[in-house]
Amino acid sequence: MTIKVYNTLTNKKEDFIPQKQNEVSMYVCGVTPYDEVHLGHARAYVTFDIIKRHLLNRGFAVKHIQNFTDIDDKIIDRASKEKVTPVEIAEKYIKNYFEQTEKLNILKATDYPRVTDTDMMQEIVRFIQTLMDKGFAYKVGGDVYFSVEKFKDYGKLSKRNLEDLKAGAGASAGAFSEVKKDAHDFALWKGGYFSDKPDNIKTWPSPWGAGRPGWHIECSVMSSKLLGDTIDIHGGGQDLIFPHHENEIAQSEAATGKQFVKYWIHNGFVTINKEKMSKSLNNFFTLREIFEKYDPRVVRYYLLTQHYKSPLDFSDEGLNAAKNALQGLDDAYLRLSAAVKENAGEVTNTDLKKLKENFLEALDDDFNSEKALARLHEVKSLILNELFKSDSQRLSQLKKLFEESVRDSLGITLPEANCVNEDLQNLLEQRNAARIAKNWQEADKLRNLLDEKGYKIVDNKDGSSVLVKKI
């Protein structure tokens, strides 16, 4: 078993070999909680949830850190507009994050550090001081900046040459000359920034005066404190490659002298009419809005229909196709569950073991959920083909294979096999009795009644019927 990972740093697939044989350290950039989470966020966190689940299934222990940037210009501006404190804004939208991602069945991270944690703020100040002592940072007024020209490998992640960046900046570089030495130097600490802000904006003490950290420094500090100076996997959306992740590499490797990250993983954008979905363009859909129309299980399935690196164009057509595909999986699973009541332990049939390995190998190939879904539908076809001609033990093993693939690997919750109450079961029995009596009008009437209650009837070849809840 070899897992292949596309590494943004090298622009190629590589064998995944963590620093410790059976342990993986993973850092994923979290949200800035100033508004509700949207589908673009969901794609990132479902992507890394699939990565985490597969690593766990392949026997690795995963230490997963995901931060909250709980003090930021956008939070401050939102707080000012709503006449509340930045803390209240951050808490409101952190709560929203957990409420919505829980519906998507995303596994919890090991820890969710926040910038404003006292211990973390002290670590940030110490980290910045290290960069200053080593000559990579300088102070201007109450601010501290990182000098990108001092870090010779700047641009290695985004494949941007610093000289080209400077040339591209053109006349705009002059606007920074009175504040910082180079247009591409970035803030590590913001002090003078607070002079014109409302009194209720909290600041923190530092050797350079009261202020707050810049955006990029928090991830370097949090990852090094909680995962060590070098981590196995770091990632997020493609929009973070430059400048955020590029700046993280610069400040981290400047401070420690060690490689910051072994494998950089970035998911593609969610687009609307081929244009990136984002709050700045005001073309985003919040998860809360989408869940009003579509079951979260459908949304998760939809996010898996494209390989994580590819763009995913948002549309009702795509979501409806996902809904129909997932309904087909539910139908097969509930019919199978009705045929066998218990699992038969490990999958031992040779062909089923091969089918299971084919599914896992699809995820070994750079966590290819699109290919894994195709393998899953092969399992579904096998279920429907063998439902009435295979022995109970084989069907039980098929059920176990299906459950492990859907629930454990893809993180899609399974429909309840025994969720039909007595009244619904009685209606189903009445409908079957009407069919036996060839009272088709009554049978159709009862079918329609069950349909209104949110259930479809699947009639099996052996004459039995199963109620399946409609998604």
Side-chain angles (χ1 to χ4, degrees):
M1 178 272 297
T2 301
I3 296 176
K4 294 282 188 180
V5 176
Y6 186 89
N7 190 348
T8 308
L9 186 64
T10 60
N11 277 351
K12 64 182 182 182
K13 283 185 185 179
E14 302 175 6
D15 291 348
F16 179 69
I17 305 172
Q19 299 167 86
K20 297 180 181 179
Q21 185 175 4
N22 296 313
E23 297 179 21
V24 176
S25 53
M26 181 169 76
Y27 186 96
V28 181
C29 288
V31 298
T32 301
Y34 73 97
D35 206 342
E36 294 193 24
V37 288
H38 57 64
L39 194 64
H41 295 132
R43 189 175 197 201
Y45 300 123
V46 167
T47 291
F48 286 94
D49 188 61
I50 289 294
I51 291 171
K52 180 178 180 177
R53 286 175 183 273
H54 188 59
L55 292 171
L56 291 170
N57 288 337
R58 283 304 199 186
F60 294 99
V62 181
K63 189 172 183 181
H64 168 202
I65 305 300
Q66 184 175 310
N67 69 306
F68 285 114
T69 304
D70 61 341
I71 187 66
D72 180 87
D73 294 359
K74 293 173 181 176
I75 295 174
I76 293 170
D77 291 343
R78 186 68 178 259
S80 179
K81 289 176 183 176
E82 296 190 14
K83 294 181 171 48
V84 296
T85 66
V87 171
E88 290 172 296
I89 290 294
E91 290 298 333
K92 175 181 178 180
Y93 292 112
I94 288 173
K95 180 181 178 183
N96 172 261
Y97 169 84
F98 284 118
E99 286 175 348
Q100 304 308 327
T101 55
E102 184 175 347
K103 293 174 185 176
L104 286 172
N105 199 33
I106 292 173
L107 297 174
K108 290 287 195 298
T110 308
D111 198 0
Y112 293 94
R114 303 188 186 194
V115 183
T116 59
D117 290 344
T118 301
D119 290 347
M120 201 58 69
M121 194 63 70
Q122 292 172 349
E123 291 290 334
I124 289 171
V125 170
R126 279 195 287 269
F127 200 98
I128 295 172
Q129 187 62 60
T130 297
L131 290 171
M132 293 192 73
D133 293 343
K134 291 189 172 187
F136 287 99
Y138 59 92
K139 180 176 178 292
V140 178
D143 301 330
V144 179
Y145 292 96
F146 184 91
S147 179
V148 294
E149 67 177 11
K150 296 289 184 68
F151 185 72
K152 63 182 179 62
D153 290 332
Y154 192 80
K156 66 181 178 179
L157 181 68
S158 60
K159 313 302 182 287
R160 303 187 187 203
N161 180 279
L162 185 56
E163 293 306 314
D164 292 340
L165 286 171
K166 289 181 178 181
S172 65
F176 294 91
S177 60
E178 295 180 3
V179 179
K180 51 185 181 178
K181 297 177 181 179
D182 188 279
H184 299 287
D185 293 349
F186 56 89
L188 300 171
W189 189 260
K190 296 183 175 184
Y193 165 90
F194 286 93
S195 59
D196 62 345
K197 295 295 178 183
D199 292 338
N200 68 347
I201 305 303
K202 180 175 173 55
T203 61
W204 289 264
S206 82
W208 322 287
R212 71 169 178 86
W215 174 32
H216 314 294
I217 192 68
E218 66 183 87
C219 291
S220 288
V221 173
M222 291 175 179
S223 60
S224 65
K225 179 175 173 60
L226 298 172
L227 297 173
D229 291 339
T230 301
I231 56 179
D232 295 312
I233 295 174
H234 191 344
Q238 288 178 355
D239 55 329
L240 297 180
I241 295 174
F242 187 88
H244 184 50
H245 289 162
E246 194 72 72
N247 290 349
E248 280 189 59
I249 290 175
Q251 63 200 9
S252 293
E253 297 187 0
T256 68
K258 303 173 185 177
Q259 181 181 9
F260 177 38
V261 176
K262 288 193 69 177
Y263 304 94
W264 284 95
I265 299 177
H266 295 93
N267 64 276
F269 297 130
V270 176
T271 58
I272 303 286
N273 297 322
K274 310 301 181 184
E275 186 175 45
K276 178 196 167 190
M277 179 186 290
S278 71
K279 289 176 181 172
S280 60
L281 295 173
N282 198 33
N283 68 343
F284 67 96
F285 292 87
T286 68
L287 291 184
R288 180 179 53 78
E289 291 170 332
I290 296 170
F291 292 160
E292 288 174 357
K293 190 173 181 181
Y294 294 97
D295 189 301
R297 297 176 66 241
V298 171
V299 177
R300 183 174 178 108
Y301 185 101
Y302 173 64
L303 292 170
L304 301 178
T305 56
Q306 294 287 328
H307 185 271
Y308 74 85
K309 285 185 63 61
S310 303
L312 178 67
D313 202 49
F314 176 83
S315 68
D316 281 331
E317 290 80 6
L319 280 162
N320 285 325
K323 178 180 176 179
N324 292 334
L326 184 57
Q327 186 74 71
L329 292 175
D330 283 0
D331 291 359
Y333 176 67
L334 290 173
R335 291 173 71 184
L336 181 59
S337 296
V340 291
K341 302 302 181 185
E342 297 179 1
N343 286 328
E346 291 302 312
V347 176
T348 56
N349 294 67
T350 302
D351 62 323
L352 297 188
K353 287 174 70 176
K354 180 59 178 175
L355 203 58
K356 178 179 180 180
E357 198 54 36
N358 287 344
F359 174 84
L360 292 173
E361 285 175 358
L363 293 171
D364 285 340
D365 183 17
D366 195 27
F367 314 104
N368 194 328
S369 61
E370 181 180 5
K371 189 187 294 185
L373 282 176
R375 297 282 186 259
L376 181 61
H377 282 277
E378 291 176 10
V379 177
K380 182 196 79 171
S381 297
L382 186 61
I383 290 171
L384 297 177
N385 186 51
E386 297 197 6
L387 199 53
F388 302 104
K389 63 182 183 182
S390 294
D391 60 68
S392 180
Q393 184 182 40
R394 181 173 173 83
L395 290 178
S396 293
Q397 292 188 12
L398 254 175
K399 182 170 180 277
K400 185 174 180 63
L401 169 57
F402 187 91
E403 289 172 343
E404 289 177 344
S405 301
V406 175
R407 179 190 61 215
D408 301 336
S409 292
L410 298 181
I412 301 171
T413 54
L414 291 161
E416 290 184 52
N418 299 309
C419 65
V420 179
N421 62 36
E422 187 176 347
D423 289 341
L424 292 170
Q425 192 61 43
N426 287 338
L427 288 174
L428 180 62
E429 291 173 3
Q430 291 173 37
R431 184 255 182 186
N432 288 342
R435 290 179 70 219
I436 292 171
K438 296 186 178 182
N439 186 348
W440 308 121
Q441 184 176 359
E442 179 66 13
D444 288 344
K445 176 183 174 183
L446 289 163
R447 173 186 284 276
N448 292 337
L449 181 57
L450 285 163
D451 184 77
E452 290 172 5
K453 292 179 178 294
Y455 288 83
K456 58 181 288 190
I457 301 172
V458 179
D459 293 319
N460 295 319
K461 294 178 182 178
D462 65 349
S464 64
S465 298
V466 177
L467 279 180
V468 178
K469 188 171 178 60
K470 294 190 294 182
I471 301 174

